[in-house]
Amino acid sequence: MKISLCMFKEGMSMERIVIEGRHPLSGSITIGGAKNSAVALIPAALLADGICTIKNVPNITDKDALFDIVKHLNCEITEDNKAIKIDSRCLNNVLITQELSVKLRASYYFMGVLLSKYKHVEIFFPGGCNIGSRPIDLHLKGFKALGAKVTKRGHKYTLDAEELKGAKIKLDFASVGATINIMFAACMAKGRTIIENAAKEVEIINIMDFLNKMGAKISGAGTDTIIIDGVTKMHGAEIDVIPDRIEAGTYILMGALLGENLTVDGIIPEHNEALFNKLTEMGVSYQIDKNSVTLNKTDSLKPVDIITQVYPGFPTDLNQPMCVLLTQANGTSTMEETIWENRKGHYPSLLKMGAKIELDGNKATITGKTDLKGTEINATDLRAGAALILAGLIAEGTTYIYDIDYILRGYENIIHKLSQVGAKIKIEKI
Ligand code: EPZ
């Protein structure tokens, strides 16, 4: 097949995902550890004066990017299957270069960690998917409230503190990253820190559990008020990464579209309550068991209206994959994005495949049921890429997805997991 040059993007992988559509999915897919937990737990391990073990770490490229930073800071890191050991006793608190900082959004967690432990950090503005401007003002405001001085030169940030003192910090927005980063910075501050309007995502509970096992004194994660009583030092500990509710949701949506007894295993069902509520509204047939859900394709899907919200609302990270299901509903649905101003990268590709979508600002009106047709499309960010895979799986004919690095950042072994349950999907060199 002739490849149109427009498909190539500077610096992206010379591979593409090829999908032959309309094959039913049956069997069992096991969910890995949560990306958005793991990318905070790995930096958190550097708070310890000792060795930490993190189990059930997902096999994704964001993990590799963090490993590069941990090694750059002269920490030892070993990996055995899905368990990693990090020894931070020889940590050398050097500048985290721009090349390392921009590899992912979560590089900013080293700010809170190194500020907490050394009262000094030099790092650059983080990277991350292109879904909005992604400021870090709330993180910096929290650090300043604890007593840090922040100097910004271009994209480089230097943070210094004589000492860090507990403070009452009310977040203007329930930011996941700022909540976690301020928790890190407050762990060894003098006195009590209270974070109000804290994010309530379940990954934050996972991180609090790890910090408390390391000797921190934190309570309230999962609620909108988190209390941290500073300690003088932290020691090595062990933690399990919780299951990835966004990976799970992505495969659950595939089951709603193509399942013939497709079981998504190793989940915590209540973490996906908002998604299940919408699937019920649409008439999707599924059976939830203790740690799994089994789905069967439903032919007559009802349209729904969705507004993304902070946890426990409908997660912004499932907006794009969910849009593909909405193209298959009989009638008009809406998807309104309230968290990120640019979570729209999937729309051009879905339109090119034949979807009927009208966009008004951050609200899409999606009319179904439309038959999607395979073609050449580009991933623009992690969750847009996931949506394109869902679209390719249900499309007539063959779909070619370019810029697949975005997808491999956050979905471990996705080609293998889908092939195992009957999808005709592969990665090929261009
Ligand atoms: C985390 O990003 C996740 N990433 C995102 O998942 C997820 O979409 C997001 O939380 C919301 O759930 C990781 O955990 C690595 P935020 P984060 O701070 O922490 C504004 C994925 O696909 N904001 O809760 O960066 C911001 O602009 C990724 O896995 C500020 O204004 O999200 C946005 O509008 C994508 N100032 C809103 O808050 C700040 O200092 C949510 O941001 C920080 C955030």
Side-chain angles (χ1 to χ4, degrees), residues 35-36 39 105-106 108-109 131 133-139 173-178 201 316-317 339-341 343 382-383:
K35 168 180 86 76
N36 292 344
V39 297
R105 173 85 168 161
Y108 60 21
Y109 288 132
I131 51 177
S133 56
R134 308 196 77 175
I136 60 170
D137 57 309
L138 298 178
H139 301 239
F173 178 85
S175 154
V176 171
E201 275 68 4
T316 173
D317 295 344
I339 307 293
W340 298 107
E341 70 269 26
R343 202 187 264 288
L382 169 58
R383 307 304 176 182

PDB file of all heavy atoms in Angstrom, residues 35-36 39 105-106 108-109 131 133-139 173-178 201 316-317 339-341 343 382-383, ligand 1:
ATOM      1  N   LYS A  35      -0.415   3.158  35.131  1.00  0.00           N
ATOM      2  CA  LYS A  35       0.635   4.085  34.680  1.00  0.00           C
ATOM      3  C   LYS A  35       0.701   5.296  35.612  1.00  0.00           C
ATOM      4  O   LYS A  35       1.778   5.673  36.069  1.00  0.00           O
ATOM      5  CB  LYS A  35       0.353   4.559  33.261  1.00  0.00           C
ATOM      6  CG  LYS A  35       1.229   5.731  32.808  1.00  0.00           C
ATOM      7  CD  LYS A  35       0.929   6.190  31.407  1.00  0.00           C
ATOM      8  CE  LYS A  35      -0.191   7.176  31.332  1.00  0.00           C
ATOM      9  NZ  LYS A  35       0.138   8.544  31.744  1.00  0.00           N
ATOM     10  N   ASN A  36      -0.471   5.866  35.941  1.00  0.00           N
ATOM     11  CA  ASN A  36      -0.469   7.140  36.671  1.00  0.00           C
ATOM     12  C   ASN A  36      -0.189   6.989  38.156  1.00  0.00           C
ATOM     13  O   ASN A  36      -0.044   7.977  38.865  1.00  0.00           O
ATOM     14  CB  ASN A  36      -1.763   7.903  36.398  1.00  0.00           C
ATOM     15  CG  ASN A  36      -1.803   8.351  34.943  1.00  0.00           C
ATOM     16  OD1 ASN A  36      -0.773   8.349  34.260  1.00  0.00           O
ATOM     17  ND2 ASN A  36      -2.969   8.691  34.456  1.00  0.00           N
ATOM     18  N   VAL A  39       4.176   6.123  37.722  1.00  0.00           N
ATOM     19  CA  VAL A  39       5.047   7.255  37.371  1.00  0.00           C
ATOM     20  C   VAL A  39       5.249   8.206  38.546  1.00  0.00           C
ATOM     21  O   VAL A  39       6.111   9.084  38.490  1.00  0.00           O
ATOM     22  CB  VAL A  39       4.527   8.020  36.142  1.00  0.00           C
ATOM     23  CG1 VAL A  39       4.527   7.125  34.915  1.00  0.00           C
ATOM     24  CG2 VAL A  39       3.169   8.638  36.387  1.00  0.00           C
ATOM     25  N   ARG A 105       5.344  13.862  31.368  1.00  0.00           N
ATOM     26  CA  ARG A 105       4.777  14.843  32.300  1.00  0.00           C
ATOM     27  C   ARG A 105       5.263  14.566  33.724  1.00  0.00           C
ATOM     28  O   ARG A 105       5.504  15.485  34.482  1.00  0.00           O
ATOM     29  CB  ARG A 105       3.252  14.723  32.223  1.00  0.00           C
ATOM     30  CG  ARG A 105       2.478  15.533  33.242  1.00  0.00           C
ATOM     31  CD  ARG A 105       2.253  16.927  32.815  1.00  0.00           C
ATOM     32  NE  ARG A 105       1.260  17.597  33.678  1.00  0.00           N
ATOM     33  CZ  ARG A 105       1.130  18.923  33.758  1.00  0.00           C
ATOM     34  NH1 ARG A 105       1.913  19.708  33.062  1.00  0.00           N
ATOM     35  NH2 ARG A 105       0.225  19.477  34.532  1.00  0.00           N
ATOM     36  N   ALA A 106       5.381  13.301  34.069  1.00  0.00           N
ATOM     37  CA  ALA A 106       5.638  12.905  35.464  1.00  0.00           C
ATOM     38  C   ALA A 106       7.056  13.212  35.923  1.00  0.00           C
ATOM     39  O   ALA A 106       7.375  13.033  37.102  1.00  0.00           O
ATOM     40  CB  ALA A 106       5.346  11.423  35.643  1.00  0.00           C
ATOM     41  N   TYR A 108       7.987  15.903  36.618  1.00  0.00           N
ATOM     42  CA  TYR A 108       7.847  16.969  37.623  1.00  0.00           C
ATOM     43  C   TYR A 108       7.756  16.419  39.051  1.00  0.00           C
ATOM     44  O   TYR A 108       7.899  17.144  40.023  1.00  0.00           O
ATOM     45  CB  TYR A 108       6.722  17.932  37.317  1.00  0.00           C
ATOM     46  CG  TYR A 108       5.295  17.404  37.212  1.00  0.00           C
ATOM     47  CD1 TYR A 108       4.866  16.216  37.770  1.00  0.00           C
ATOM     48  CD2 TYR A 108       4.359  18.165  36.508  1.00  0.00           C
ATOM     49  CE1 TYR A 108       3.563  15.790  37.665  1.00  0.00           C
ATOM     50  CE2 TYR A 108       3.041  17.747  36.383  1.00  0.00           C
ATOM     51  CZ  TYR A 108       2.651  16.547  36.962  1.00  0.00           C
ATOM     52  OH  TYR A 108       1.353  16.139  36.832  1.00  0.00           O
ATOM     53  N   TYR A 109       7.508  15.128  39.206  1.00  0.00           N
ATOM     54  CA  TYR A 109       7.455  14.576  40.560  1.00  0.00           C
ATOM     55  C   TYR A 109       8.816  14.629  41.257  1.00  0.00           C
ATOM     56  O   TYR A 109       8.908  14.593  42.481  1.00  0.00           O
ATOM     57  CB  TYR A 109       6.904  13.158  40.545  1.00  0.00           C
ATOM     58  CG  TYR A 109       5.408  13.089  40.266  1.00  0.00           C
ATOM     59  CD1 TYR A 109       4.880  12.216  39.331  1.00  0.00           C
ATOM     60  CD2 TYR A 109       4.525  13.925  40.942  1.00  0.00           C
ATOM     61  CE1 TYR A 109       3.520  12.162  39.082  1.00  0.00           C
ATOM     62  CE2 TYR A 109       3.154  13.894  40.687  1.00  0.00           C
ATOM     63  CZ  TYR A 109       2.668  13.007  39.756  1.00  0.00           C
ATOM     64  OH  TYR A 109       1.308  12.961  39.507  1.00  0.00           O
ATOM     65  N   ILE A 131      -2.339  17.803  25.152  1.00  0.00           N
ATOM     66  CA  ILE A 131      -3.802  17.879  25.351  1.00  0.00           C
ATOM     67  C   ILE A 131      -4.201  19.209  25.984  1.00  0.00           C
ATOM     68  O   ILE A 131      -5.331  19.405  26.413  1.00  0.00           O
ATOM     69  CB  ILE A 131      -4.280  16.706  26.250  1.00  0.00           C
ATOM     70  CG1 ILE A 131      -3.444  16.633  27.528  1.00  0.00           C
ATOM     71  CG2 ILE A 131      -4.231  15.389  25.477  1.00  0.00           C
ATOM     72  CD1 ILE A 131      -3.884  15.564  28.502  1.00  0.00           C
ATOM     73  N   SER A 133      -2.254  23.270  27.617  1.00  0.00           N
ATOM     74  CA  SER A 133      -1.005  23.984  27.956  1.00  0.00           C
ATOM     75  C   SER A 133      -0.289  23.309  29.127  1.00  0.00           C
ATOM     76  O   SER A 133       0.908  23.409  29.290  1.00  0.00           O
ATOM     77  CB  SER A 133      -1.347  25.431  28.324  1.00  0.00           C
ATOM     78  OG  SER A 133      -2.290  25.408  29.391  1.00  0.00           O
ATOM     79  N   ARG A 134      -1.038  22.641  29.981  1.00  0.00           N
ATOM     80  CA  ARG A 134      -0.494  21.833  31.085  1.00  0.00           C
ATOM     81  C   ARG A 134       0.443  22.631  31.992  1.00  0.00           C
ATOM     82  O   ARG A 134       1.600  22.266  32.194  1.00  0.00           O
ATOM     83  CB  ARG A 134       0.164  20.572  30.545  1.00  0.00           C
ATOM     84  CG  ARG A 134      -0.747  19.781  29.611  1.00  0.00           C
ATOM     85  CD  ARG A 134      -0.306  18.381  29.351  1.00  0.00           C
ATOM     86  NE  ARG A 134      -0.629  17.511  30.486  1.00  0.00           N
ATOM     87  CZ  ARG A 134      -0.425  16.180  30.470  1.00  0.00           C
ATOM     88  NH1 ARG A 134       0.146  15.621  29.429  1.00  0.00           N
ATOM     89  NH2 ARG A 134      -0.747  15.434  31.514  1.00  0.00           N
ATOM     90  N   PRO A 135      -0.035  23.738  32.569  1.00  0.00           N
ATOM     91  CA  PRO A 135       0.800  24.538  33.473  1.00  0.00           C
ATOM     92  C   PRO A 135       1.144  23.765  34.754  1.00  0.00           C
ATOM     93  O   PRO A 135       0.530  22.729  35.032  1.00  0.00           O
ATOM     94  CB  PRO A 135      -0.091  25.733  33.797  1.00  0.00           C
ATOM     95  CG  PRO A 135      -1.475  25.232  33.615  1.00  0.00           C
ATOM     96  CD  PRO A 135      -1.415  24.242  32.482  1.00  0.00           C
ATOM     97  N   ILE A 136       2.122  24.269  35.508  1.00  0.00           N
ATOM     98  CA  ILE A 136       2.456  23.639  36.801  1.00  0.00           C
ATOM     99  C   ILE A 136       2.382  24.677  37.928  1.00  0.00           C
ATOM    100  O   ILE A 136       2.988  24.498  38.988  1.00  0.00           O
ATOM    101  CB  ILE A 136       3.852  22.977  36.757  1.00  0.00           C
ATOM    102  CG1 ILE A 136       4.949  23.999  36.456  1.00  0.00           C
ATOM    103  CG2 ILE A 136       3.891  21.828  35.748  1.00  0.00           C
ATOM    104  CD1 ILE A 136       6.368  23.428  36.656  1.00  0.00           C
ATOM    105  N   ASP A 137       1.601  25.735  37.703  1.00  0.00           N
ATOM    106  CA  ASP A 137       1.522  26.816  38.695  1.00  0.00           C
ATOM    107  C   ASP A 137       1.041  26.347  40.062  1.00  0.00           C
ATOM    108  O   ASP A 137       1.511  26.841  41.101  1.00  0.00           O
ATOM    109  CB  ASP A 137       0.628  27.939  38.176  1.00  0.00           C
ATOM    110  CG  ASP A 137      -0.767  27.433  37.823  1.00  0.00           C
ATOM    111  OD1 ASP A 137      -0.880  26.434  37.080  1.00  0.00           O
ATOM    112  OD2 ASP A 137      -1.741  27.995  38.332  1.00  0.00           O
ATOM    113  N   LEU A 138       0.134  25.372  40.091  1.00  0.00           N
ATOM    114  CA  LEU A 138      -0.399  24.905  41.380  1.00  0.00           C
ATOM    115  C   LEU A 138       0.674  24.127  42.160  1.00  0.00           C
ATOM    116  O   LEU A 138       0.745  24.212  43.391  1.00  0.00           O
ATOM    117  CB  LEU A 138      -1.636  24.039  41.163  1.00  0.00           C
ATOM    118  CG  LEU A 138      -2.817  24.740  40.485  1.00  0.00           C
ATOM    119  CD1 LEU A 138      -3.966  23.770  40.275  1.00  0.00           C
ATOM    120  CD2 LEU A 138      -3.270  25.946  41.302  1.00  0.00           C
ATOM    121  N   HIS A 139       1.520  23.412  41.418  1.00  0.00           N
ATOM    122  CA  HIS A 139       2.631  22.720  42.083  1.00  0.00           C
ATOM    123  C   HIS A 139       3.541  23.759  42.748  1.00  0.00           C
ATOM    124  O   HIS A 139       3.896  23.657  43.921  1.00  0.00           O
ATOM    125  CB  HIS A 139       3.468  21.938  41.059  1.00  0.00           C
ATOM    126  CG  HIS A 139       2.735  20.893  40.284  1.00  0.00           C
ATOM    127  ND1 HIS A 139       3.075  19.563  40.293  1.00  0.00           N
ATOM    128  CD2 HIS A 139       1.680  20.989  39.444  1.00  0.00           C
ATOM    129  CE1 HIS A 139       2.263  18.879  39.502  1.00  0.00           C
ATOM    130  NE2 HIS A 139       1.408  19.726  38.974  1.00  0.00           N
ATOM    131  N   PHE A 173      -7.605  24.202  41.846  1.00  0.00           N
ATOM    132  CA  PHE A 173      -8.248  23.125  41.072  1.00  0.00           C
ATOM    133  C   PHE A 173      -7.750  21.801  41.662  1.00  0.00           C
ATOM    134  O   PHE A 173      -6.591  21.708  42.075  1.00  0.00           O
ATOM    135  CB  PHE A 173      -7.883  23.213  39.578  1.00  0.00           C
ATOM    136  CG  PHE A 173      -8.479  22.093  38.762  1.00  0.00           C
ATOM    137  CD1 PHE A 173      -9.764  22.173  38.256  1.00  0.00           C
ATOM    138  CD2 PHE A 173      -7.760  20.912  38.573  1.00  0.00           C
ATOM    139  CE1 PHE A 173     -10.323  21.130  37.550  1.00  0.00           C
ATOM    140  CE2 PHE A 173      -8.306  19.859  37.862  1.00  0.00           C
ATOM    141  CZ  PHE A 173      -9.603  19.968  37.346  1.00  0.00           C
ATOM    142  N   ALA A 174      -8.587  20.812  41.706  1.00  0.00           N
ATOM    143  CA  ALA A 174      -8.214  19.512  42.301  1.00  0.00           C
ATOM    144  C   ALA A 174      -7.256  18.786  41.355  1.00  0.00           C
ATOM    145  O   ALA A 174      -7.591  17.780  40.725  1.00  0.00           O
ATOM    146  CB  ALA A 174      -9.452  18.670  42.555  1.00  0.00           C
ATOM    147  N   SER A 175      -6.048  19.334  41.265  1.00  0.00           N
ATOM    148  CA  SER A 175      -5.022  18.801  40.351  1.00  0.00           C
ATOM    149  C   SER A 175      -4.398  17.531  40.919  1.00  0.00           C
ATOM    150  O   SER A 175      -3.916  17.521  42.067  1.00  0.00           O
ATOM    151  CB  SER A 175      -3.925  19.868  40.165  1.00  0.00           C
ATOM    152  OG  SER A 175      -2.697  19.270  39.821  1.00  0.00           O
ATOM    153  N   VAL A 176      -4.374  16.459  40.105  1.00  0.00           N
ATOM    154  CA  VAL A 176      -3.767  15.189  40.533  1.00  0.00           C
ATOM    155  C   VAL A 176      -2.280  15.399  40.800  1.00  0.00           C
ATOM    156  O   VAL A 176      -1.766  15.099  41.880  1.00  0.00           O
ATOM    157  CB  VAL A 176      -3.976  14.106  39.444  1.00  0.00           C
ATOM    158  CG1 VAL A 176      -3.178  12.850  39.763  1.00  0.00           C
ATOM    159  CG2 VAL A 176      -5.452  13.799  39.272  1.00  0.00           C
ATOM    160  N   GLY A 177      -1.597  15.961  39.819  1.00  0.00           N
ATOM    161  CA  GLY A 177      -0.137  16.123  39.932  1.00  0.00           C
ATOM    162  C   GLY A 177       0.250  17.030  41.075  1.00  0.00           C
ATOM    163  O   GLY A 177       1.169  16.709  41.843  1.00  0.00           O
ATOM    164  N   ALA A 178      -0.461  18.142  41.218  1.00  0.00           N
ATOM    165  CA  ALA A 178      -0.105  19.091  42.295  1.00  0.00           C
ATOM    166  C   ALA A 178      -0.356  18.455  43.663  1.00  0.00           C
ATOM    167  O   ALA A 178       0.447  18.601  44.585  1.00  0.00           O
ATOM    168  CB  ALA A 178      -0.914  20.368  42.139  1.00  0.00           C
ATOM    169  N   GLU A 201      -8.351  11.098  43.075  1.00  0.00           N
ATOM    170  CA  GLU A 201      -8.095   9.905  42.247  1.00  0.00           C
ATOM    171  C   GLU A 201      -7.506   8.778  43.087  1.00  0.00           C
ATOM    172  O   GLU A 201      -6.700   9.011  44.002  1.00  0.00           O
ATOM    173  CB  GLU A 201      -7.156  10.263  41.095  1.00  0.00           C
ATOM    174  CG  GLU A 201      -7.840  10.832  39.857  1.00  0.00           C
ATOM    175  CD  GLU A 201      -8.464  12.225  40.027  1.00  0.00           C
ATOM    176  OE1 GLU A 201      -8.312  12.828  41.116  1.00  0.00           O
ATOM    177  OE2 GLU A 201      -9.084  12.707  39.084  1.00  0.00           O
ATOM    178  N   THR A 316     -11.460  11.931  32.293  1.00  0.00           N
ATOM    179  CA  THR A 316     -11.039  12.577  31.050  1.00  0.00           C
ATOM    180  C   THR A 316     -10.214  11.621  30.185  1.00  0.00           C
ATOM    181  O   THR A 316     -10.304  11.665  28.963  1.00  0.00           O
ATOM    182  CB  THR A 316     -10.216  13.845  31.347  1.00  0.00           C
ATOM    183  OG1 THR A 316      -9.681  14.358  30.127  1.00  0.00           O
ATOM    184  CG2 THR A 316      -9.081  13.570  32.310  1.00  0.00           C
ATOM    185  N   ASP A 317      -9.496  10.702  30.796  1.00  0.00           N
ATOM    186  CA  ASP A 317      -8.619   9.802  30.024  1.00  0.00           C
ATOM    187  C   ASP A 317      -9.401   8.744  29.249  1.00  0.00           C
ATOM    188  O   ASP A 317      -8.828   8.059  28.407  1.00  0.00           O
ATOM    189  CB  ASP A 317      -7.600   9.118  30.946  1.00  0.00           C
ATOM    190  CG  ASP A 317      -6.632  10.126  31.553  1.00  0.00           C
ATOM    191  OD1 ASP A 317      -6.559  11.259  31.038  1.00  0.00           O
ATOM    192  OD2 ASP A 317      -5.983   9.794  32.560  1.00  0.00           O
ATOM    193  N   ILE A 339     -11.645  19.010  31.552  1.00  0.00           N
ATOM    194  CA  ILE A 339     -10.353  19.005  32.243  1.00  0.00           C
ATOM    195  C   ILE A 339      -9.249  19.575  31.370  1.00  0.00           C
ATOM    196  O   ILE A 339      -8.456  20.414  31.807  1.00  0.00           O
ATOM    197  CB  ILE A 339      -9.977  17.561  32.674  1.00  0.00           C
ATOM    198  CG1 ILE A 339     -11.093  16.909  33.487  1.00  0.00           C
ATOM    199  CG2 ILE A 339      -8.637  17.564  33.409  1.00  0.00           C
ATOM    200  CD1 ILE A 339     -11.351  17.518  34.836  1.00  0.00           C
ATOM    201  N   TRP A 340      -9.160  19.125  30.105  1.00  0.00           N
ATOM    202  CA  TRP A 340      -8.079  19.553  29.206  1.00  0.00           C
ATOM    203  C   TRP A 340      -8.652  20.320  28.030  1.00  0.00           C
ATOM    204  O   TRP A 340      -9.646  19.880  27.433  1.00  0.00           O
ATOM    205  CB  TRP A 340      -7.304  18.343  28.679  1.00  0.00           C
ATOM    206  CG  TRP A 340      -6.632  17.547  29.762  1.00  0.00           C
ATOM    207  CD1 TRP A 340      -7.008  16.321  30.239  1.00  0.00           C
ATOM    208  CD2 TRP A 340      -5.476  17.920  30.524  1.00  0.00           C
ATOM    209  NE1 TRP A 340      -6.166  15.923  31.233  1.00  0.00           N
ATOM    210  CE2 TRP A 340      -5.224  16.881  31.440  1.00  0.00           C
ATOM    211  CE3 TRP A 340      -4.643  19.047  30.517  1.00  0.00           C
ATOM    212  CZ2 TRP A 340      -4.164  16.915  32.346  1.00  0.00           C
ATOM    213  CZ3 TRP A 340      -3.592  19.084  31.420  1.00  0.00           C
ATOM    214  CH2 TRP A 340      -3.360  18.022  32.324  1.00  0.00           C
ATOM    215  N   GLU A 341      -8.006  21.441  27.673  1.00  0.00           N
ATOM    216  CA  GLU A 341      -8.576  22.293  26.611  1.00  0.00           C
ATOM    217  C   GLU A 341      -8.298  21.751  25.209  1.00  0.00           C
ATOM    218  O   GLU A 341      -8.861  22.217  24.235  1.00  0.00           O
ATOM    219  CB  GLU A 341      -8.070  23.732  26.730  1.00  0.00           C
ATOM    220  CG  GLU A 341      -6.601  23.968  26.404  1.00  0.00           C
ATOM    221  CD  GLU A 341      -5.689  23.856  27.645  1.00  0.00           C
ATOM    222  OE1 GLU A 341      -6.080  23.142  28.602  1.00  0.00           O
ATOM    223  OE2 GLU A 341      -4.597  24.439  27.605  1.00  0.00           O
ATOM    224  N   ARG A 343      -8.171  18.126  24.230  1.00  0.00           N
ATOM    225  CA  ARG A 343      -8.293  16.671  24.111  1.00  0.00           C
ATOM    226  C   ARG A 343      -9.154  16.363  22.875  1.00  0.00           C
ATOM    227  O   ARG A 343     -10.258  15.857  22.971  1.00  0.00           O
ATOM    228  CB  ARG A 343      -8.878  16.051  25.381  1.00  0.00           C
ATOM    229  CG  ARG A 343      -8.508  14.584  25.487  1.00  0.00           C
ATOM    230  CD  ARG A 343      -9.196  13.890  26.631  1.00  0.00           C
ATOM    231  NE  ARG A 343      -8.423  13.794  27.874  1.00  0.00           N
ATOM    232  CZ  ARG A 343      -7.378  13.010  28.079  1.00  0.00           C
ATOM    233  NH1 ARG A 343      -6.919  12.289  27.082  1.00  0.00           N
ATOM    234  NH2 ARG A 343      -6.778  12.939  29.248  1.00  0.00           N
ATOM    235  N   LEU A 382      -1.610   9.918  23.730  1.00  0.00           N
ATOM    236  CA  LEU A 382      -1.794   8.554  24.227  1.00  0.00           C
ATOM    237  C   LEU A 382      -3.233   8.060  24.087  1.00  0.00           C
ATOM    238  O   LEU A 382      -3.508   7.006  23.488  1.00  0.00           O
ATOM    239  CB  LEU A 382      -1.363   8.508  25.706  1.00  0.00           C
ATOM    240  CG  LEU A 382      -1.699   7.261  26.515  1.00  0.00           C
ATOM    241  CD1 LEU A 382      -1.104   6.011  25.904  1.00  0.00           C
ATOM    242  CD2 LEU A 382      -1.251   7.433  27.961  1.00  0.00           C
ATOM    243  N   ARG A 383      -4.182   8.798  24.606  1.00  0.00           N
ATOM    244  CA  ARG A 383      -5.554   8.298  24.637  1.00  0.00           C
ATOM    245  C   ARG A 383      -6.247   8.471  23.286  1.00  0.00           C
ATOM    246  O   ARG A 383      -7.151   7.710  22.957  1.00  0.00           O
ATOM    247  CB  ARG A 383      -6.347   8.971  25.759  1.00  0.00           C
ATOM    248  CG  ARG A 383      -5.715   8.900  27.121  1.00  0.00           C
ATOM    249  CD  ARG A 383      -5.401   7.478  27.586  1.00  0.00           C
ATOM    250  NE  ARG A 383      -4.688   7.500  28.886  1.00  0.00           N
ATOM    251  CZ  ARG A 383      -4.257   6.449  29.533  1.00  0.00           C
ATOM    252  NH1 ARG A 383      -4.403   5.270  29.002  1.00  0.00           N
ATOM    253  NH2 ARG A 383      -3.614   6.536  30.672  1.00  0.00           N
TER     254      ARG A 383
HETATM  255  C1  EPZ B   1      -2.860  13.465  35.566  1.00  0.00           C
HETATM  256  O1  EPZ B   1      -2.312  14.564  34.867  1.00  0.00           O
HETATM  257  C2  EPZ B   1      -2.741  12.295  34.610  1.00  0.00           C
HETATM  258  N1  EPZ B   1      -1.347  12.096  34.273  1.00  0.00           N
HETATM  259  C3  EPZ B   1      -3.532  12.597  33.333  1.00  0.00           C
HETATM  260  O2  EPZ B   1      -3.487  11.412  32.539  1.00  0.00           O
HETATM  261  C4  EPZ B   1      -4.986  12.872  33.690  1.00  0.00           C
HETATM  262  O3  EPZ B   1      -5.670  13.259  32.505  1.00  0.00           O
HETATM  263  C5  EPZ B   1      -5.057  14.010  34.718  1.00  0.00           C
HETATM  264  O4  EPZ B   1      -4.241  13.686  35.867  1.00  0.00           O
HETATM  265  C6  EPZ B   1      -6.476  14.263  35.184  1.00  0.00           C
HETATM  266  O5  EPZ B   1      -7.000  13.095  35.722  1.00  0.00           O
HETATM  267  C7  EPZ B   1      -0.535  11.528  35.187  1.00  0.00           C
HETATM  268  O6  EPZ B   1      -0.953  11.187  36.284  1.00  0.00           O
HETATM  269  C8  EPZ B   1       0.892  11.342  34.760  1.00  0.00           C
HETATM  270  P1  EPZ B   1      -3.992  17.653  36.644  1.00  0.00           P
HETATM  271  P2  EPZ B   1      -1.985  15.945  35.646  1.00  0.00           P
HETATM  272  O7  EPZ B   1      -2.901  18.342  37.343  1.00  0.00           O
HETATM  273  O8  EPZ B   1      -1.607  15.651  37.040  1.00  0.00           O
HETATM  274  C9  EPZ B   1      -4.810  22.140  35.329  1.00  0.00           C
HETATM  275  C10 EPZ B   1      -3.001  10.103  30.686  1.00  0.00           C
HETATM  276  O9  EPZ B   1      -3.519  10.030  29.565  1.00  0.00           O
HETATM  277  N2  EPZ B   1      -3.603  22.432  36.102  1.00  0.00           N
HETATM  278  O10 EPZ B   1      -5.083  16.988  37.434  1.00  0.00           O
HETATM  279  O11 EPZ B   1      -1.077  16.728  34.788  1.00  0.00           O
HETATM  280  C11 EPZ B   1      -4.470  21.456  34.017  1.00  0.00           C
HETATM  281  O12 EPZ B   1      -4.139  22.402  33.029  1.00  0.00           O
HETATM  282  C12 EPZ B   1      -2.753  11.461  31.308  1.00  0.00           C
HETATM  283  O13 EPZ B   1      -2.681   9.112  31.398  1.00  0.00           O
HETATM  284  C13 EPZ B   1      -3.255  23.765  36.315  1.00  0.00           C
HETATM  285  O14 EPZ B   1      -3.938  24.670  35.865  1.00  0.00           O
HETATM  286  O15 EPZ B   1      -3.435  16.606  35.626  1.00  0.00           O
HETATM  287  C14 EPZ B   1      -5.736  20.708  33.700  1.00  0.00           C
HETATM  288  O16 EPZ B   1      -6.670  21.584  33.119  1.00  0.00           O
HETATM  289  C15 EPZ B   1      -3.174  12.602  30.418  1.00  0.00           C
HETATM  290  N3  EPZ B   1      -2.137  24.052  37.023  1.00  0.00           N
HETATM  291  C16 EPZ B   1      -6.257  20.301  35.072  1.00  0.00           C
HETATM  292  O17 EPZ B   1      -5.617  21.178  36.020  1.00  0.00           O
HETATM  293  C17 EPZ B   1      -1.349  23.057  37.561  1.00  0.00           C
HETATM  294  O18 EPZ B   1      -0.349  23.385  38.227  1.00  0.00           O
HETATM  295  C18 EPZ B   1      -5.958  18.854  35.433  1.00  0.00           C
HETATM  296  O19 EPZ B   1      -4.606  18.733  35.603  1.00  0.00           O
HETATM  297  C19 EPZ B   1      -1.715  21.719  37.335  1.00  0.00           C
HETATM  298  C20 EPZ B   1      -2.852  21.419  36.612  1.00  0.00           C
END
